[in-house]
Amino acid sequence: MIVNTNKGFKLEVLGTIFNLKSYNNDNQAQATLYSGSVNIIVDDANGGQPTVTKMQPNDVITIYENRTSKNMHLPDPTVCSAWKDGKIIFDN
């Protein structure tokens, strides 16, 4: 399965549990992988070859609207999935 976003990238699902946040009014999108694996396919803004990044469990990748910047880090997975459990987590 391939999930298309409005931020110029696709998420290729390879048998997994994941969360994807990509809203029209946000300037960034975020994917969190809990288990399995996914590929993040970022379209080149100039029409070149897309970049493919394979995520590992507990990785979070943030892709900004202009596709010039992305980061991967190991978050607390419970923070990224709190919304589905009806929890709200405040930071600062």
Side-chain angles (χ1 to χ4, degrees), residues 19-20 22 26 31 47 57-59 64:
N19 184 48
L20 176 63
S22 180
D26 286 344
N58 294 321
D59 280 350
Y64 298 91

Side-chain angles (χ1 to χ4, degrees), residues 31-91:
T32 305
L33 180 63
Y34 298 102
S35 68
S37 63
V38 297
N39 288 334
I40 300 293
I41 305 162
V42 180
D43 297 332
D44 184 87
N46 299 319
Q49 290 287 355
T51 304
V52 178
T53 303
K54 185 167 188 149
M55 294 180 68
Q56 302 298 317
N58 294 321
D59 280 350
V60 171
I61 188 166
T62 303
I63 301 173
Y64 298 91
E65 195 164 37
N66 59 12
R67 293 171 262 177
T68 58
S69 179
K70 62 183 176 183
N71 60 26
M72 245 173 154
H73 62 282
L74 297 173
D76 177 357
T78 59
V79 171
C80 296
S81 65
W83 66 271
K84 72 176 186 62
D85 298 323
K87 297 177 183 174
I88 298 174
I89 297 176
F90 294 95
D91 184 11

